[in-house]
Amino acid sequence: LFLTSYKKFREKLLKRDIWHLLARLGENGFDSSAAAGAFVAMINMSRGKVAGSHGDLFAEEGPGGMLRGVDVSEPRTAAEKAAGLLAAEIKSVEQAKQLENPDARVGFFEQSSDSHILEIAECYQGLVTGDIERFTKKLWEVPTDNHDWIPFRRSNNINQYYGDVSEAILWEGGAGQLQTYASMAREQLHDMHESGNRTWGRKGIAINRMRDLKAVPYWGEHFDNNVAVVYPIKDKSLKPLLSFLSSDEFPVAIRELDQSIKVTNKTLLKVPFDLDLWTKVAEEQYPNGLPNPYSNAPTQWIFHGHPCGSVFWDEESKWTAHGPLRTDDSVLQIAVARLLGYRWPAELDAKMELADEQREWVNRCAALLPYADDDGIVCIPPVRGEASASDRLLNLLAAAYGEAWSNDTLAGLLKSADHAGKTLVTWLREKFFTQHCKLFGHRPFIWHIWDGLRDGFAALVNYHKLDHKLLETLIYTYLGDWISRQKQDITKGVDGAQVSLAAAESLKQKLELILQGEAPYDIFVRWKPLEQQPIGWNPDLNDGVRLNIRPFLTVPDVGKKGAGVLRDKPNIKWEKDRGKDVESAPWFHVFNGDRINDHHLSLDEKLAASVKKETQT
């Protein structure tokens, strides 16, 4: 009924035979799970042909050669579709006019316009990396000042005006590892680059190609092939196109043409489009033009970085405006990240295009910089002469809210964080890390390391700063100070000091195992040869949280099963990635082409390979 590959077949049937009845069932037309993914239609046809008004041979089934039928593709189950066949409205369309539809697609619709999107716009598909786990990361996994990583748009899964740009791609100026890999894999990435890169740096509309076809403004970032970008030939068409493509009418129009789960970029251009009508609609929606990017979500590249700042679209003025200070469940998470010294990309890129209000909040973040910790380690209890994490966090929050700060504000924040009626310190100890993992896609960048005791040693650590030297500082300075205090308490006869000392010394031993990095507490990166594997705790941030966090989860658990020395276990799997490696991959012959991550190497193996490489050099 709609696939482009069947165009000639449809034309032949429409010209040669009589179409009596058509029942479009769509997806899930069968009860059996074995038919999942099949798009089903029932057609009643007969051979026959009579002269039609268009000069071809058409069937005269009623006045004008009418095709009648029902569309029950919307209901989700076979039972609902069966009921719909009995009750749905019977529609009629001229069989001859189906040939006038784009690609002679068959459906119960009348063309709303003689014009189509392809007359005023182009549409491009995005990149295929060939190894998505290697070349893409969440933006908070990679250093914000590393320009090898650039914004990367995947399918839009959030309900925001500017959609979801929460990932990064290792681009390296277009001449790095990804391009080398593509060449080795003999993938057709070059052609895709030549197609998709026509929109990079330009404004357009990004559309999910899967199912919901959600459309949002596109601001020139790189994008993957689950996204199609519609790029207007003339700038003046951008507003009308966005108004239409983001309306409820667009999904209906596209589904009349194509019910595939994944719509092609060429099909998107074949949708009828009334430019005059949607120009009028656009003038009502955007009389002042399209707003510059804004977002209050900490998972987005364009996030302003302020814990409680907000920007929203004001329907009355038809422009962006400052919103009320936020008290949602992300506020505490943002404040903790700032306390640990994390900064968002917008804070470090003065050229990033942002709404004026968004940029104002970015600028206000400068006043919060003095509250950030110097070394990226903040202990929950007071250690080494530093104030407790809760006291320091309170000071930062008070500075962020200014005159609006009060005990009621704190109570509201704790309620939003599912910790109503309790204290900030207990939230830090019990809730923070679990919620942090959930908010940031189980790729945490603030790690909660503890000794397993509810009131024992616990430290929040900025993953971006946690190199070999900082882990030594955590072990021998911060934890060392805590251990000394427990020994003093034992001398003083303080209850529980012996238990606290034992837990702290046990944590120290586990952290030393990670520091040394002997198997199975090592880091393994499947795309690096043996001589480039990390020796001891010397992580490469470009490899991502998923691989680098493994030693902390692998050492014997201090609390939750599988969490190692972390307060909770992120939902991370590193056993095996989808797809097959290229033959030139360093571990191709070891793993028979499988992308295995759960592998261990001894220090001796790594050191020997490193020495050999240096000798050859």
Side-chain angles (χ1 to χ4, degrees), residues 525 527-535 543 606 609-610 613:
V525 183
W527 50 82
K528 290 183 174 179
L530 180 58
E531 65 272 13
Q532 293 180 14
Q533 294 293 327
I535 298 175
D543 297 330
K606 294 180 180 181
S610 179
K613 182 68 175 180

Side-chain angles (χ1 to χ4, degrees), residues 81-351:
K81 294 177 187 293
L85 289 175
L86 300 176
E89 175 189 359
I90 296 177
K91 299 180 180 180
S92 300
V93 293
E94 291 186 45
Q95 180 175 328
K97 287 191 174 181
Q98 301 302 296
L99 286 163
E100 299 176 4
N101 294 336
D103 297 325
R105 301 178 191 225
V106 178
F108 302 112
F109 61 93
E110 298 291 339
Q111 291 281 2
S112 59
S113 172
D114 293 332
S115 301
H116 299 82
I117 293 177
L118 59 85
E119 296 170 26
I120 63 167
E122 299 171 344
C123 187
Y124 303 106
Q125 65 181 11
L127 296 167
V128 176
T129 66
D131 190 346
I132 200 164
E133 296 292 352
R134 174 180 177 181
F135 295 113
T136 67
K137 301 286 184 287
K138 295 296 185 182
L139 74 89
W140 50 87
E141 291 186 76
V142 300
T144 51
D145 58 352
N146 185 339
H147 300 298
D148 289 339
W149 294 89
I150 61 174
F152 190 55
R153 178 183 289 275
R154 301 281 292 279
S155 293
N156 181 22
N157 297 314
I158 62 174
N159 187 27
Q160 291 190 12
Y161 183 73
Y162 273 96
D164 191 358
V165 186
S166 60
E167 300 202 13
I169 185 169
L170 184 60
W171 191 244
E172 298 176 293
Q177 299 176 52
L178 174 57
Q179 281 65 31
T180 301
Y181 179 88
S183 175
M184 292 178 177
R186 296 181 180 177
E187 297 208 9
Q188 296 177 350
L189 284 178
H190 182 268
D191 294 337
M192 292 186 179
H193 292 170
E194 290 301 314
S195 171
N197 69 7
R198 296 176 190 176
T199 65
W200 297 345
R202 298 182 175 184
K203 297 177 184 178
I205 300 105
I207 305 173
N208 282 6
R209 291 177 58 202
M210 302 287 285
R211 295 191 181 275
D212 63 1
L213 302 171
K214 188 182 298 182
V216 295
Y218 166 78
W219 219 253
E221 60 277 351
H222 289 41
F223 56 100
D224 82 352
N225 72 330
N226 287 320
V227 176
V229 168
V230 174
Y231 169 64
I233 298 172
K234 296 182 178 179
D235 291 343
K236 66 179 183 179
S237 302
L238 180 58
K239 287 199 303 182
L241 275 171
L242 177 61
S243 295
F244 172 60
L245 295 174
S246 60
S247 73
D248 293 335
E249 295 185 31
F250 170 65
V252 175
I254 195 72
R255 289 308 180 194
E256 290 284 7
L257 292 176
D258 193 333
Q259 290 195 338
S260 302
I261 294 176
K262 192 170 186 177
V263 179
T264 67
N265 57 314
K266 292 183 179 180
T267 298
L268 293 171
L269 292 175
K270 295 174 182 177
V271 175
F273 179 68
D274 188 332
L275 179 59
D276 292 337
L277 170 64
W278 287 100
T279 297
K280 295 176 183 177
V281 173
E283 286 305 315
E284 294 179 3
Q285 289 182 331
Y286 308 108
N288 303 311
L290 297 179
N292 283 337
Y294 64 94
S295 174
N296 299 315
T299 56
Q300 301 304 304
W301 273 91
I302 59 173
F303 177 58
H304 46 66
H306 199 278
C308 55
S310 72
V311 180
F312 77 111
W313 174 260
D314 182 14
E315 271 298 324
E316 186 174 342
S317 66
K318 297 294 183 180
W319 199 243
T320 50
H322 287 293
L325 297 179
R326 293 182 299 106
T327 57
D328 59 75
D329 59 356
S330 71
V331 172
L332 289 178
Q333 289 289 336
I334 298 163
V336 170
R338 296 207 68 90
L339 178 63
L340 271 292
Y342 182 78
R343 301 178 70 187
W344 272 262
E347 300 178 65
L348 304 174
D349 185 358
K351 296 181 180 179

